[in-house]
Amino acid sequence: MKYVDEFRDPTMIARAFEEIRTLADPARHYRIMEVCGGHTHAIFRFGLKDLLPPNVELIHGPGCPVCVLPMGRIDDGLELAGDPHVIFTAFGDMMRVPGSQGSPLESKARGADVRIVYSPLDALKIAEANPDRQVVFFAIGFETTAPSTALTLLKARANRVRNFAVFCNHVTIIPAIRAILDSPDMRLDGFIGPGHVSTVIGCRPYEFIVRDYGCPIAVSGFEPLDILQSLVMVLRQLRDGIAKVENQYARVVPWEGNLAALRVLAEVFEVRAHFEWRGMGFISHSALRLRGEFAEWDAERTLPIRGVCVADPKAAQCGEVLKGVLKPHQCKLFGKECTPEQPIGALMVSPEGACAAHFKYRGAPQLVTLG
């Protein structure tokens, strides 16, 4: 299969591992963060970390949007879902995310009209088919999914669909990376840059990492060879004592980003002053909200949303895992009280969550073989 088989070739993978071993100075310990949850999933799925030299450590970053959503926002959404006049819609990976009063799936079991959609356009169609009901789309995701929400809002305005509203929880990746770099308990040597987000924002926004922090970064694809080649790029920069932004995923990611998507984002959204990230606290300018021109489709302006703040369960250590301070299995609840079937922390819910990926693939057969 084109663009898959060549990135799983055992001979090429073996060469990449050998180059990593050659580049990694045995007298040094490397801490390299993969930002994207898709990378985290691939690293566990293919068993890549188990084949790396012991002094090359991968840190799992905050690139899973479900995982960083604070419980208060879920509670706010579920309060809306409890209104019998409301049809509450969300992507499937939101259904089992726990708030303080349960998950959307549990609300559905209690009688709320909660529906899974595969696109915000599906939610808009539900609104058009149910003009006597208020339809709320629980929008979540980084810049990757925000353009589809923006295009849906433009269509809602064009079609004058008045019973449709968006509860906007879109976040942006750059402020989160800066918050991690500014964290006093964090030491990183480089980044594997997020592939999905970069298809929209491009590579230029990462230049501050190089300029202000002297850290190398390579934007990466999601196949085993993609990730290993990105590690080679980062380690080669570290060996040479330089730092720059490299684009390993150039077959998909344009350096300047998707200009059409960026234009529609700018038309519909503006940056919030601050937004709460689960486990990371409030981060300035790290999320999007609807512009005033779209106020009548903004659930936060038109519907009773309290904006509650809910503390995470004390025992769950999602914040430490999100910041790379702890490995998933080092959380006290991992695999005991907190499992994919009964998640307590959000990192155990989404397939891209570090804890869920670690739980699923622990002890699994090694999928990557060396030629």
Side-chain angles (χ1 to χ4, degrees):
M1 185 182 296
K2 190 170 176 57
Y3 298 130
V4 174
D5 292 344
E6 59 265 55
F7 291 94
R8 298 182 183 182
D9 180 80
T11 302
M12 296 289 289
I13 288 173
R15 287 179 188 166
F17 272 118
E18 182 57 33
E19 190 164 4
I20 288 170
R21 280 190 281 271
T22 301
L23 288 167
D25 181 349
R28 179 175 179 181
H29 188 86
Y30 300 89
R31 288 169 54 87
I32 299 170
M33 174 174 279
E34 88 274 2
V35 176
C36 181
H39 289 147
T40 301
H41 181 92
I43 287 165
F44 282 111
R45 178 187 177 198
F46 293 105
L48 301 183
K49 70 178 184 60
D50 298 328
L51 297 174
L52 292 173
N55 61 328
V56 178
E57 182 183 4
L58 294 177
I59 309 297
H60 316 304
C64 166
V66 169
C67 303
V68 300
L69 187 69
M71 294 178 75
R73 301 291 288 189
I74 300 169
D75 282 3
D76 283 336
L78 295 184
E79 279 196 16
L80 294 177
D83 185 332
H85 300 291
V86 167
I87 301 173
F88 182 85
T89 63
F91 293 140
D93 57 357
M94 271 303 305
M95 288 296 130
R96 295 175 57 247
V97 179
S100 67
Q101 305 299 319
S103 66
L105 203 58
E106 289 169 320
S107 288
K108 182 178 177 66
R110 290 193 289 265
D113 194 345
V114 175
R115 305 187 190 184
I116 296 175
V117 293
Y118 296 95
S119 158
L121 283 172
D122 292 342
L124 184 61
K125 288 178 183 174
I126 292 172
E128 290 174 314
N130 296 272
D132 57 334
R133 305 278 301 278
Q134 175 67 53
V135 175
V136 176
F137 174 62
F138 192 87
I140 185 174
F142 287 95
E143 292 94 332
T144 320
T145 54
S148 62
T149 303
L151 288 169
T152 301
L153 284 161
L154 290 172
K155 187 169 184 179
R157 184 173 67 176
N159 293 353
R160 300 182 180 180
V161 183
R162 308 299 184 195
N163 63 322
F164 175 73
V166 168
F167 183 20
C168 185
N169 296 280
H170 286 299
V171 289
T172 58
I173 193 65
I174 296 300
I177 295 177
R178 186 181 288 279
I180 287 170
L181 284 165
D182 287 337
S183 178
D185 55 355
M186 176 60 67
R187 182 190 68 78
L188 293 172
D189 297 293
F191 286 92
I192 296 174
H196 292 144
V197 166
S198 303
T199 60
V200 175
I201 69 172
C203 298
R204 197 172 294 282
Y206 305 118
E207 291 175 347
F208 82 96
I209 298 173
V210 172
R211 184 186 63 245
D212 299 344
Y213 300 92
C215 270
I217 176 171
V219 174
S220 179
F222 296 90
E223 293 299 325
L225 197 54
D226 285 321
I227 296 171
L228 296 176
Q229 286 178 338
S230 300
L231 274 173
V232 167
M233 289 174 167
V234 171
L235 290 170
R236 191 180 290 147
Q237 290 189 49
L238 291 169
R239 179 201 61 187
D240 296 341
I242 60 174
K244 58 183 178 180
V245 181
E246 293 191 270
N247 185 9
Q248 185 278 334
Y249 205 24
R251 67 185 186 278
V252 174
V253 173
W255 187 265
E256 300 293 343
N258 184 328
L259 299 182
L262 291 172
R263 277 195 296 273
V264 76
L265 288 180
E267 181 178 355
V268 173
F269 295 114
E270 59 188 9
V271 177
R272 293 177 190 265
H274 52 76
F275 191 79
E276 184 184 5
W277 288 55
R278 191 166 190 171
M280 299 177 70
F282 285 88
I283 302 177
S284 299
H285 307 129
S286 65
L288 303 176
R289 60 174 293 170
L290 273 59
R291 289 187 176 278
E293 299 94 302
F294 294 88
E296 63 183 292
W297 292 276
D298 187 348
E300 291 179 87
R301 288 178 165 117
T302 60
L303 297 174
I305 295 177
R306 292 191 294 151
V308 298
C309 288
V310 178
D312 287 333
K314 285 186 178 179
Q317 296 173 286
C318 293
E320 287 89 341
V321 176
L322 275 171
K323 291 190 290 187
V325 177
L326 291 181
K327 298 296 185 188
H329 67 278
Q330 293 173 322
C331 174
K332 289 176 286 190
L333 304 184
F334 179 85
K336 302 167 191 164
E337 294 89 345
C338 187
T339 66
E341 290 74 27
Q342 295 290 335
I344 294 177
L347 294 179
M348 193 58 93
V349 178
S350 168
E352 294 189 352
C355 294
H358 185 83
F359 187 93
K360 180 175 181 179
Y361 294 111
R362 61 178 180 172
Q366 194 81 39
L367 290 186
V368 164
T369 56
L370 304 183

